[in-house]
């Protein structure tokens, strides 16, 4: 009988931990692990063209399934390529195990071919990162890696020299299985719930602001909003879970924000932060009283002064709280915020409805049409850049949809590889990647992964020939846009050459039919939509410093003889400019 290797043992432990797929590129020291995957049922190898794509894919897979995602890279450069995707997975709290294979254990420290030190490299983007230098270690290291990834929601890295991986396994008595279907409840202390209720009862103007910690607590949050007559805003991470079927919705705060959220947070008496680690303190109000609820005690108060920190799960906390909170008879604040929200949203949608005649195509129009045509349970993946803005503002969450992005790490090029992981995890759902032209071209090679694995992802490229978000940043800060222009190929033709359907949209009149055709075509499709490079987004609140910067850049444009560009910019954004 063939011996059971350390690599076999690793695969069996990963299987017991709930893993279903390994994303990666095969090679050298990783080969014993690859071969063990090949010989085991239940764990599939998904080959990608760049390991970074594999790490992003594992992160998306884990975020959608709630199960362990796995990626792997060979020694030195192979696993080094994982790093950006691992940072994203870690900061998105996706349970992911990365197998970083390593040079022969006897050569470590000698400056050997391809030598790196993965335990140092991956330290910061993981909860756990250990070298297996003896076969006896594998069982416990692999298990602790899984426990850390699942238990703390993040990345673990197992550094495994190729020679150790092919040794005969020992120590199986240390192996155990996992229950993935359990989650402890974390109800806050009774006295704290009482104080929370008293604070709610004492305030007439309450605003709720939600992050991804409200997942699974839709009904409870709405019940609280109804009870205390509170507008409900969200950070981008909360959008999936709270924007849908929500009559109290006032949109989003932050740089990408929209609607009346900012105002509701700043004009309330009591602000309730629910499961959010929203990082921009400059958007946080300083006058209202603040209560924050989070399962992570270390997060309480890390972004804002607090009057009360509630250490508990949002669902459990609200469940305990609701019977103790009185009905607020005064809904005037809520009504005022909802009215304001409707006005602001109507203004924001100026480019989504009536732009058929205008060239180049407005990106808002593409995003809104996509939102309209996409399935009720579609999975959207969204590139960092202006696509984030269009998705945040114009793609509607539903009870069944998911909208994944690189929200905490903020990396470009996430949409395509996230879509790979999403489609592998959910083969029967519609997966739509909203890509920037800069982001798409950064990891473009993995378009071939869609063809190779017949993944029917629909890529929609917002091709504005520009690193648009950066051009905007530069102008807002008073710089002239520099090195932001991109000379692009016809991406649709490129897609066709690669073996997938390619659709190019240049005219606004073709947007609807083009997107409809893309969504209806089986197999992978790329839509190359030529969009207006001048489409800007304005944050819900811009400071006078920012306006000054914009005015300064405008003056510089005129002085540099680019008056025409300035006119284009003004013409494109007339309706987006914030008004009091
Ligand atoms: C890996 C990485 N490099 C650089 C940046 C800085 N950055 C943020 S958005 C952006 C431009 C994105 O351009 P594109 O994908 O074309 O999207 P657009 O904003 O034009 O819609 C850049 C360079 C980043 N966030 N991540
Ligand atoms: Mg662009």
């Amino acid at each position: 009988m063939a011996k059971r290797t350390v690599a076999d043992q690793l695969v069996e432990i990963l299987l017991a931990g709930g893993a279903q797929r390994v994303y990666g590129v095969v090679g050298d020291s990783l080969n014993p692990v690859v071969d063990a995957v090949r010989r085991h049922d239940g764990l599939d190898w998904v080959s990608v063209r760049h390991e970074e794509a594999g790490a992003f894919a594992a992160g998306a897979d884990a975020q959608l399934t709630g199960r362990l995602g796995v990626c792997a890279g060979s020694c030195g450069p192979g696993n080094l390529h994982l790093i950006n995707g691992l940072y994203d997975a870690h900061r998105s709290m996706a349970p992911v195990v990365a197998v970083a294979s390593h040079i022969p254990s006897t050569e470590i420290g000698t400056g050997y071919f391809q030598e790196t030190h993965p335990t140092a490299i991956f330290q910061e983007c993981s909860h756990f990162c250990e070298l297996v230098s003896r076969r006896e270690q594998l069982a416990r290291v692999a298990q602790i890696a899984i426990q850390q990834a699942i238990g703390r929601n993040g990345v673990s890295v197992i550094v495994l020299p190729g020679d150790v991986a092919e040794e005969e396994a020992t120590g199986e008595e240390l192996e155990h299985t996992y229950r993935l279907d359990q989650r402890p409840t974390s109800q806050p202390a009774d006295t704290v719930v009482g104080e929370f209720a008293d604070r709610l009862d004492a305030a007439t103007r309450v605003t709720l602001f939600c992050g991804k910690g409200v997942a699974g607590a839709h009904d409870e949050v709405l019940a609280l909003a109804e009870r205390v007559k509170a507008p409900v805003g969200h950070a981008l991470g909360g959008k999936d879970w709270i924007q849908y079927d929500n009559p109290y919705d006032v949109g989003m705060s932050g740089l990408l924000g929209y609607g009346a959220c900012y105002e509701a947070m700043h004009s309330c008496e009591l602000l309730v932060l629910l499961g959010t680690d929203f990082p921009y303190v400059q958007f946080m109000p300083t006058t209202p009283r603040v209560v924050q609820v989070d399962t992570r005690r270390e997060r309480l108060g890390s972004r804002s002064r607090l009057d009360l920190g509630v250490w508990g799960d949002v669902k459990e906390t609200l469940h305990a709280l609701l019977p103790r909170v009185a009905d607020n008879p005064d809904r005037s604040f809520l009504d005022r915020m909802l009215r304001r929200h409707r006005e602001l949203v109507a203004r924001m949608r100026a480019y989504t409805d009536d732009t058929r005649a205008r060239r180049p195509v407005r990106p808002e129009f593409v995003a809104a049409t996509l939102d309209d045509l996409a399935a009720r349970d579609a999975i959207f993946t969204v590139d960092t850049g202006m696509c984030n803005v269009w998705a945040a503002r114009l793609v509607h969450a539903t009870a069944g949809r998911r909208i994944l992005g690189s929200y905490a790490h903020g990396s470009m090029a996430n949409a395509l590889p996230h879509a790979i992981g999403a489609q592998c995890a959910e083969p029967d759902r519609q997966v739509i990647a909203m890509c920037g032209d800069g982001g798409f071209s950064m990891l473009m090679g993995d378009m071939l992964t869609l063809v190779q694995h017949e993944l029917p992802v629909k890529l929609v490229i917002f091709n504005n020939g520009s690193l648009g978000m950066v051009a905007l940043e530069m102008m807002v800060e008073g710089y002239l846009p520099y090195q932001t222009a991109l000379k692009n190929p016809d991406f649709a033709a490129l897609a066709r050459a690669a073996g997938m359907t390619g659709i190019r949209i240049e005219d606004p009149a073709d947007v609807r039919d083009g997107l409809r055709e893309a969504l209806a075509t089986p197999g992978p499709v790329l839509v190359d939509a030529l969009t207006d490079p001048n489409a800007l987004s304005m944050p819900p609140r811009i400071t006078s410093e920012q306006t000054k910067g914009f005015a300064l850049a405008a003056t510089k444009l005129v002085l540099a003889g680019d008056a025409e560009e300035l006119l284009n910019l003004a013409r494109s954004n007339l309706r987006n400019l914030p008004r009091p």
Side-chain angles (χ1 to χ4, degrees), residues 1-9 134-136 138 163-172:
M1 207 178 97
K3 67 177 184 188
R4 180 182 184 236
T5 65
V6 167
D8 287 319
Q9 190 180 22
R134 291 171 60 101
R135 59 182 178 163
E136 294 84 353
L138 189 277
D163 57 312
V164 179
E166 61 190 8
E167 281 182 53
E168 184 156 10
T170 62
E172 54 267 48

Side-chain angles (χ1 to χ4, degrees), residues 183-188 193 217 220 293 312-322:
R183 192 162 175 260
T185 54
S186 49
Q187 199 175 314
V193 175
E220 287 78 6
V293 182
D313 174 75
V314 173
K315 190 182 175 83
E316 293 293 322
T317 301
L318 300 192
H319 196 71
L321 178 77
L322 278 162

Side-chain angles (χ1 to χ4, degrees), residues 52 84 383-388 390 409-413 435-442 462-471 473 484 486 488 531:
E52 178 176 337
N84 194 46
D383 258 348
T384 298
M386 299 305 285
C387 280
N388 264 161
W390 313 139
H409 184 49
S411 173
M412 282 171 74
C435 304
D437 48 340
F440 173 71
S441 51
M442 200 174 255
F462 287 68
N463 183 356
N464 56 5
S466 164
L467 299 171
M469 176 71 106
V470 176
E473 277 166 12
T484 51
L486 300 175
N488 288 324
T531 54

Side-chain angles (χ1 to χ4, degrees), residues 13-341:
I13 291 172
L14 289 171
L15 275 164
Q20 297 170 302
R21 286 164 288 276
V22 184
Y23 299 88
V25 177
V26 300
D28 49 71
S29 53
L30 189 58
N31 290 343
V33 175
V34 175
D35 192 60
V37 174
R38 181 183 67 77
R39 285 182 284 101
H40 280 80
D41 290 336
L43 194 63
D44 295 325
W45 188 276
V46 181
S47 61
V48 290
R49 303 299 174 116
H50 190 307
E51 292 86 349
E52 178 176 337
F56 272 119
D61 188 325
Q63 286 178 72
L64 289 167
T65 59
R67 299 170 70 115
L68 197 64
V70 184
C71 58
S74 56
C75 61
N79 66 55
L80 195 57
H81 263 180
L82 294 169
I83 196 159
N84 194 46
L86 288 182
Y87 262 93
D88 182 72
H90 192 55
R91 299 219 47 202
S92 301
M93 299 175 67
V96 167
V97 167
V99 179
S101 79
H102 201 21
I103 59 168
S105 55
T106 49
E107 300 293 342
I108 293 173
T110 66
Y112 191 67
F113 175 63
Q114 296 188 323
E115 180 164 5
T116 60
H117 291 87
T119 44
I121 292 167
F122 297 109
Q123 199 57 245
E124 199 191 295
C125 61
S126 62
H127 289 307
F128 177 85
C129 178
E130 291 296 340
L131 170 69
V132 178
S133 44
R134 291 171 60 101
R135 59 182 178 163
E136 294 84 353
Q137 275 179 280
L138 189 277
R140 292 195 66 204
V141 167
Q143 276 160 347
I144 294 169
I146 293 172
Q147 283 158 211
Q148 291 274 343
I150 294 175
R152 297 174 71 191
N153 292 312
V155 168
S156 288
V157 182
I158 301 171
V159 183
L160 183 60
D163 57 312
V164 179
E166 61 190 8
E167 281 182 53
E168 184 156 10
T170 62
E172 54 267 48
E173 72 280 2
L174 298 170
E175 294 172 22
H176 57 80
T177 54
Y178 299 84
R179 286 291 300 252
L180 295 171
D181 56 347
Q182 57 172 331
R183 192 162 175 260
T185 54
S186 49
Q187 199 175 314
D190 195 56
T191 46
V192 177
V193 175
E195 198 180 322
F196 189 2
D198 291 346
R199 288 192 178 274
L200 286 164
D201 286 346
T204 38
R205 285 174 285 119
V206 180
T207 293
L208 311 183
F209 183 66
C210 305
K212 72 196 236 183
V214 301
H218 187 269
D219 292 352
E220 287 78 6
V221 175
L222 258 59
L224 179 63
E226 164 60 30
R227 184 76 54 82
V228 299
K229 307 295 176 292
V232 178
H234 58 271
L236 195 46
K239 180 179 170 87
D240 274 12
W241 313 111
I242 205 63
Q243 192 206 21
Y244 68 91
D245 300 340
N246 182 350
Y248 309 95
D249 177 36
V250 287
M252 216 176 96
S253 183
L255 281 168
L256 318 180
Y258 70 93
C261 182
Y262 182 93
E263 217 166 306
M265 287 171 79
H266 282 74
S267 53
C268 61
E269 290 168 78
L270 179 66
L271 175 64
V272 179
L273 305 173
L274 295 171
T276 176
D277 192 32
F278 180 71
Y280 299 107
V281 286
Q282 59 277 39
F283 286 90
M284 279 292 175
T286 49
T287 46
R289 302 247 171 248
V290 183
V291 177
Q292 181 181 4
V293 182
D294 209 301
T295 45
R296 302 200 159 199
R297 187 173 191 173
E298 70 276 15
R299 284 195 182 157
L300 296 175
S302 64
R303 309 289 190 189
S304 155
R305 180 192 56 77
L306 287 191
D307 295 283
L308 179 65
V310 182
W311 183 18
D313 174 75
V314 173
K315 190 182 175 83
E316 293 293 322
T317 301
L318 300 192
H319 196 71
L321 178 77
L322 278 162
R324 301 167 72 160
V325 181
D327 200 58
N328 178 2
D330 182 355
R331 52 176 295 144
S332 57
F333 172 64
L334 171 63
D335 287 336
R336 187 151 51 82
M337 289 303 123
L338 292 176
R339 239 186 345 264
R340 180 77 181 136
H341 184 63

